[in-house]
Each structure stands twice: as C-alpha cells, then as structure tokens.
Amino acid sequence: MEEPHRLKRVVWIGSSRRDLKSFPGDVKRAIGFALYQAQIGCKAPSAKPLSGFGSAGVLEIVADYNTDTYRVVYTVRFGDFIYVLHAFQKKSKRGGTTPKPDVALIRTRLNNAQEDYKYRAG
C-alpha cells in the first residue's frame, strides 16, 4: 500500500492571502490546485522559476483570465513549508517581466520568510 503524501504547510507572507482572495473564482481554483501540487512535492505546469532569484526555489504561478494575468509567487526553499510571497494582477502589457516594485516586495518577503523559518525551525 502506498504511503500518503505528507503535505507541506502553506505560510502566507504579508497580504498575499488577502490579495489572492480578491482574484476571480476560476483563478483562485487554478492557483489553489497549483499550490496543492507544490504541497505534495510536485510542480504544476503553470509554475515556473521566477527569474532573478537564482537557485532560491522561488516559483511563479501564472493564471490568465479573460484579458488579465494573475500571478502568485512562492518559495519551496524552506523545509516542509511553502511560503506564498506575493499575489498580484499584472498590470503592464510589456512582455512577461515582473515589475520592479513587485520584485522588490518579493525580495523583502523572501527575507521575511527566511526569518520566519529560522524561528519555526528553532
């Protein structure tokens, strides 16, 4: 008999959970399923490494809805935790690059996640 997957715990940093809750229902379901896949140790097809973060294990889920694009950034870098760092609607139509203010916020929240993990790990 196969052993059930042990789910990694999701930790929401800053306003990421509240921001995600404001997304359209179809987007929330798609992102929720992608986060669940991360919890069981898989990577959803909609999750891609976020450029500019090296090997930090920072990934971005992209969900399109109508003409809008929604993104959720998370990291799997810290043990049995999935830290959701940022959830936002991409406003710019200039390519796929993440806007600088969002990148700065992600970096800050990644540092916050690292501090939180140190605290939890004892």
Side-chain angles (χ1 to χ4, degrees), residues 29-99:
R29 280 186 286 282
I31 289 171
F33 184 66
L35 287 173
Y36 169 74
Q37 289 177 296
Q39 283 184 281
I40 62 171
C42 299
K43 185 173 83 57
S46 60
K48 310 262 186 282
L50 184 60
S51 64
F53 286 86
S55 60
V58 177
L59 296 110
E60 175 180 55
I61 302 165
V62 178
D64 292 321
Y65 182 77
N66 289 337
T67 59
D68 298 320
T69 299
Y70 297 86
R71 296 179 176 196
V72 169
V73 177
Y74 68 96
T75 184
V76 293
R77 178 175 156 184
F78 305 112
D80 286 333
F81 296 94
I82 306 288
Y83 281 92
V84 180
L85 305 173
H86 192 27
F88 62 105
Q89 180 180 350
K90 187 169 182 292
K91 304 284 187 198
S92 170
K93 301 297 179 198
R94 290 181 292 130
T97 60
T98 304

Side-chain angles (χ1 to χ4, degrees), residues 7 14 20 24 34 51-52 73 81-82 87 91 96 103 107 117 120:
L7 291 179
L20 176 61
S51 64
V73 177
F81 296 94
I82 306 288
K91 304 284 187 198
V103 171
R107 287 193 190 288
Y117 180 69
R120 290 175 192 267

